[in-house]
Amino acid sequence: DAKTTQPNSMESNEEEPVHLPCNHSTISGTDYIHWYRQLPSQGPEYVIHGLTSNVNNRMASLAIAEDRKSSTLILHRATLRDAAVYYCILRDVGAAGNKLTFGGGTRVLVKP
Amino acid sequence: DGGITQSPKYLFRKEGQNVTLSCEQNLNHDAMYWYRQDPGQGLRLIYYSQIVNDFQKGDIAEGYSVSREKKESFPLTVTSAQKNPTAFYLCASSMRKQGRSNEKLFFGSGTQLSVL
C-alpha cells in the first residue's frame, strides 16, 4: 500500500496560515490524496481531496506537487477550533474495492 | 438527519467476554469500515465491507469478527481472542464506485471500549 509521511506536530498562532506537509513518494497514478482532521474524542471529518490540480474549499486549500510525490494542506487563517490531528491519506483501490489507510497524522496546536 | 450512529459510546468488557459494537448508517452507502485507535496513535483498519454479505480483513483483523447482513448495519464483535481490546473504535462509510478513489469517508462518533 502507498504510504504517507507527516510531521508529528506543528504549532501556529491564531489568525496565521498553517502549512501542513505530506510526503507520498510511492503514490500511484490513480490514487487521490485525501485529508481528514480529528478533534479530541471525535471521529475524523473530511477536509479536502485532490488528484493533480490544486483544490480549494471553504475549509482549506490543497497544493499538490507536479510529480504528485508530496502535497500541502493550507489552513489560511488558523482558529482555535482548527486545533486537531490532521491526516493525509491515499486511497487504495484494490481488487476488493476501496480501502483507506491512516498514518499517525500531524497534531496542530493553535496558540491564541 | 443523515449520518452514522455508533453505540454505545462507552463499553466495558470482562475477561473472556465477547462484546458487540453497533454501527448504523442512513446515508445509503455501500461501503462500511471499522477502525481501531489507540491513545495518541492513528487509525488502523480492522475490517471493511464493500457490499452486503461481503467483507474483507483489514490490517489488524485478528480477534475481531463482523457481519454485513443489511446495507445499513455493520456490527463489530470483539472476541475473547483479542487480548488487548482497550481502544477507541470508529466506524465509517462511503459510497462505493469501483475504480474510483475519490469517495470521502463519513465517520461515527466512536465507541470507547475498556477492559474491567
Side-chain angles (χ1 to χ4, degrees):
Chain A
D1 294 347
K3 293 185 177 180
T4 62
T5 303
Q6 300 176 253
N8 289 334
S9 62
M10 293 188 73
E11 289 189 2
S12 174
N13 294 317
E14 200 174 8
E15 301 295 317
E16 290 185 356
V18 182
H19 288 68
L20 302 176
C22 181
N23 288 322
H24 29 79
S25 59
T26 59
I27 190 172
S28 70
T30 56
D31 280 344
Y32 276 73
I33 302 157
H34 287 242
W35 283 83
Y36 289 76
R37 73 177 187 181
Q38 185 177 23
L39 301 172
S41 300
Q42 295 186 27
E45 64 173 342
Y46 167 83
V47 177
I48 201 167
H49 75 273
L51 183 62
T52 56
S53 303
N54 295 343
V55 184
N56 299 294
N57 66 21
R58 63 175 181 81
M59 292 181 70
S61 295
L62 176 61
I64 301 173
E66 192 171 340
D67 63 5
R68 298 204 336 119
K69 294 184 177 182
S70 64
S71 60
T72 301
L73 180 72
I74 303 165
L75 308 178
H76 294 287
R77 293 181 62 190
T79 70
L80 297 179
R81 289 176 294 179
D82 291 324
V85 178
Y86 287 78
Y87 296 98
C88 169
I89 300 135
L90 303 180
R91 294 288 284 202
D92 177 10
V93 184
N98 295 331
K99 185 173 81 167
L100 218 62
T101 301
F102 286 71
T106 297
R107 183 173 300 277
V108 172
L109 173 65
V110 181
K111 296 181 289 185
Chain B
D1 291 347
I4 301 178
T5 302
Q6 289 187 242
S7 62
K9 188 170 180 63
Y10 300 96
L11 185 61
F12 297 91
R13 194 193 88 166
K14 295 180 181 179
E15 291 290 336
Q17 185 182 41
N18 292 353
V19 293
T20 298
L21 284 61
S22 170
C23 179
E24 304 279 331
Q25 55 98 1
N26 60 4
L27 300 168
N28 199 33
H29 285 168
D30 290 302
M32 297 187 74
Y33 309 78
W34 274 106
Y35 289 90
R36 168 180 171 140
Q37 186 173 36
D38 292 286
Q41 305 296 313
L43 282 67
R44 291 185 290 169
L45 183 64
I46 305 173
Y47 268 98
Y48 62 109
S49 169
Q50 301 299 308
I51 197 168
V52 174
N53 293 323
D54 187 44
F55 49 83
Q56 290 81 38
K57 292 182 178 180
D59 301 316
I60 55 164
E62 186 174 352
Y64 300 97
S65 65
V66 293
S67 62
R68 188 80 187 281
E69 297 177 1
K70 297 187 300 181
K71 187 176 184 178
E72 303 80 19
S73 179
F74 191 41
L76 173 74
T77 297
V78 184
T79 74
S80 57
Q82 173 50 245
K83 299 306 180 185
N84 184 24
T86 297
F88 189 51
Y89 290 86
L90 287 158
C91 179
S93 71
S94 72
M95 295 294 291
R96 171 181 177 261
K97 296 180 181 179
Q98 193 63 37
R100 294 275 298 275
S101 59
N102 62 343
E103 301 301 330
K104 58 186 179 182
L105 262 63
F106 293 81
F107 282 85
S109 56
T111 293
Q112 177 63 50
L113 175 63
S114 302
V115 176
L116 292 176

